[in-house]
């Protein structure tokens, strides 16, 4: 079973780490049966599960509820929970309260977006005994500051800053770092420069692991097709077909059959 020490070990052994997001009990039950290494209860749940237009709408109580459902469904998986928007920007005590809520909901680790401005809080959380994963590159909680979902680190100065940020996160005690939407080459150089594993999403092949949003990789939204996404299933079509078939069966009185009815 994966635990926090598995991450460093995997990097030493040059074995990649697989991670998907998950927000609910049933998906968690399916993931629990799979070979996947770990689960992220991402704040993307605000968009995917609640229909908001950005992750800034995820609240701590939403995160706690989804973490608890996922942990009930996937008791054998290592579950990382996102610290929601601004939960680490209002003082260390409030950040530690948020961490406490997520860990008591059942998470094994937390993930924090950003670097330099989060270093003190990351150190305190790590000192408190909670594993922390960093997240740099495209950080959706800062979407208004970034000006949209744009690839980060294309300019040399930006790339250097991201390398420095990853080193700072490692020094602060992070056990891993998510790299989101950065050029392939930068993903490779950051992964070489730090000893902790990097988990990429839109960061090329050379990160130490990969993460995708579950609903994206199983094709729930046919309109969402960013370049980095590979769709492993077309559940939108599958579910639509099932619903239409049920509707046909009801309206043509084919359902329920005698075997599906009580005597
Ligand atoms: O919230 C999320 O889904 C994430 C991943 C995209 C890494 O942070």
């Amino acid at each position: 079973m994966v635990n926090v020490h598995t991450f460093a070990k995997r990097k030493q052994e040059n074995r990649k780490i697989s991670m998907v997001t998950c927000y609910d009990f049933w998906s968690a039950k399916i993931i629990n049966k799979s070979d996947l290494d770990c689960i992220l209860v991402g704040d993307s749940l605000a968009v995917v599960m609640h229909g908001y237009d950005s992750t800034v709408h995820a609240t701590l109580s939403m995160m706690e509820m989804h973490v608890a459902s996922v942990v009930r469904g996937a008791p054998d998986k290592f579950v990382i929970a996102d610290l929601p928007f601004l939960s680490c920007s209002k003082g260390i005590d409030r950040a530690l309260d948020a961490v406490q809520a997520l860990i008591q909901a059942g998470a094994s680790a937390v993930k924090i977006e950003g670097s330099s401005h989060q270093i003190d809080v990351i150190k305190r959380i790590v000192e408190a005994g909670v594993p922390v994963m960093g997240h740099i590159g495209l950080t959706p909680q800062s979407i208004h500051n970034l000006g949209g979902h744009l690839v980060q680190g294309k300019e040399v100065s930006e790339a250097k800053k991201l390398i420095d940020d990853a080193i700072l996160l490692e020094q602060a005690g992070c056990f891993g770092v998510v790299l989101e939407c950065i050029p392939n080459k930068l993903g490779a150089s950051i992964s070489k420069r730090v000893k902790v594993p990097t988990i990429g999403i839109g960061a090329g092949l050379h990160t130490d692991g990969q993460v995708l949003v579950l609903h994206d990789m199983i094709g729930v939204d046919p309109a969402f097709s960013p370049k980095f996404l590979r769709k492993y299933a077309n559940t939108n079509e599958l579910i639509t077909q099932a619903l239409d078939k049920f509707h046909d069966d009801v309206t043509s009185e084919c359902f329920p059959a005698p075997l599906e009815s009580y005597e």
Side-chain angles (χ1 to χ4, degrees), residues 141-216:
Q141 289 175 13
S142 319
I143 200 68
H144 300 299
N145 207 23
L146 299 176
H149 289 90
L150 306 168
V151 177
Q152 303 295 304
K154 279 178 155 179
E155 302 299 325
V156 176
S157 60
E158 285 172 10
K160 280 190 178 145
K161 162 102 176 54
L162 284 172
I163 294 174
D164 292 344
D165 282 349
I167 294 170
L168 276 179
L169 290 174
E170 172 172 45
Q171 288 168 348
C174 286
F175 71 97
V177 182
V178 167
L179 304 178
E180 180 163 352
C181 280
I182 59 170
N184 186 25
K185 261 178 134 177
L186 180 56
S189 20
I190 295 178
S191 306
K192 257 196 210 137
R193 292 291 295 274
V194 292
K195 285 194 198 69
V196 293
T198 55
I199 313 290
I201 173 161
L205 183 62
H206 304 292
T207 53
D208 304 301
Q210 298 290 335
V211 54
L212 284 176
V213 169
L214 175 69
H215 294 68
D216 297 344

Side-chain angles (χ1 to χ4, degrees), residues 19-23 40-46 48 55 63 82 111 113 133 135 138-141 178-180 199-201 211-214 216 228:
M19 173 158 103
V20 290
T21 63
C22 178
Y23 320 115
L40 171 67
V41 183
D43 58 359
S44 50
L45 61 79
V48 179
T55 62
M63 295 303 303
D82 258 340
K111 175 165 81 59
E113 286 188 17
M133 177 166 267
H135 181 162
L138 198 171
T139 44
Q141 289 175 13
V178 167
L179 304 178
E180 180 163 352
I199 313 290
I201 173 161
V211 54
L212 284 176
V213 169
L214 175 69
D216 297 344
F228 67 79

Side-chain angles (χ1 to χ4, degrees), residues 11 68 96 110 177 179 227 229:
K11 178 148 181 158
L96 288 174
V110 294
V177 182
L179 304 178
K227 181 171 181 172
L229 176 61

Side-chain angles (χ1 to χ4, degrees), residues 3 9-10 24 32 40 48 72 81 101 106-107 111 176-179 196 202 216 218 259 263:
N3 63 36
K9 195 161 169 269
R10 283 288 188 83
D24 69 287
N32 200 52
L40 171 67
V48 179
R72 282 193 289 269
K111 175 165 81 59
V177 182
V178 167
L179 304 178
V196 293
D216 297 344
I218 62 171
L259 274 176
E263 288 293 322

